[in-house]
Amino acid sequence: MYPAGGATLNGGSITSGIAQATTSGSSVGFTGIPSWVKKITIQNNGVTSSGAAPLIQIGSGSYVTSGYNAGYGSINTTPVAAFSGTTTGILFGGSAASYGAIIFTLQNSSTNTWVASGTIVTPSNFIFYIAGQVTLSGNLDRIQITLSTGAFTGGSVNILYEG
């Protein structure tokens, strides 16, 4: 759940969640997101895992675990570029420490379609450019960062949301 209030910026309100450690387990979540939210920023502060790269999944009543139209491109200093798609969530970095943010915006309120984009960087010289889309059955009310294998070993996540 979230504390009331938030900072006012240009007449609007931005509300911060409560940062959650990603030091154990295979998922962390934020629930109770208000129905009026139109934009959510998910912040990655050094998330690491012993297994798969973390994914963001959003939901309405339950988490959507399939049906994402998402992809990412990664670039490193060798120079190597790679591109890949995902259908089970939005990429949130690699298994090594990563930093950055993914922004979800409500693209169509009549269909509850959300689009996402962002950039995540790792100290091992990888940059991930991430984008995607998913449609929910109702108003977005939850977000989780999850792993398909392994456990979280470091870092933290937080969200900012606004109407």
Side-chain angles (χ1 to χ4, degrees):
M1 300 301 289
Y2 300 99
T8 299
L9 179 66
N10 295 330
S13 180
I14 298 174
T15 303
S16 176
I18 298 170
Q20 296 194 36
T22 51
T23 54
S24 64
S26 61
S27 68
V28 295
F30 298 88
T31 59
I33 297 169
S35 61
W36 50 261
V37 169
K38 306 278 187 289
K39 181 179 179 182
I40 301 173
T41 302
I42 301 110
Q43 303 165 319
N44 180 333
N45 183 24
V47 174
T48 61
S49 80
S50 64
L55 293 174
I56 301 169
Q57 295 174 331
I58 64 175
S60 176
S62 63
Y63 294 108
V64 174
T65 59
S66 63
Y68 291 82
N69 298 307
Y72 63 92
S74 63
I75 300 171
N76 71 17
T77 56
T78 54
V80 172
F83 302 93
S84 187
T86 59
T87 60
T88 58
I90 305 292
L91 184 74
F92 197 52
S95 56
S98 50
Y99 304 88
I102 304 296
I103 299 170
F104 278 80
T105 54
L106 182 60
Q107 187 270 333
N108 186 329
S109 60
S110 65
T111 61
N112 291 304
T113 300
W114 289 80
V115 295
S117 65
T119 305
I120 303 287
V121 65
T122 70
S124 59
N125 300 318
F126 272 92
I127 300 172
F128 295 97
Y129 298 97
I130 301 158
Q133 171 272 339
V134 66
T135 298
L136 303 178
S137 61
N139 291 330
L140 184 151
D141 66 357
R142 65 194 62 225
I143 293 173
Q144 75 174 353
I145 294 78
T146 188
L147 303 169
S148 61
T149 62
F152 289 114
T153 57
S156 65
V157 297
N158 200 359
I159 66 171
L160 302 172
Y161 61 84
E162 56 194 288

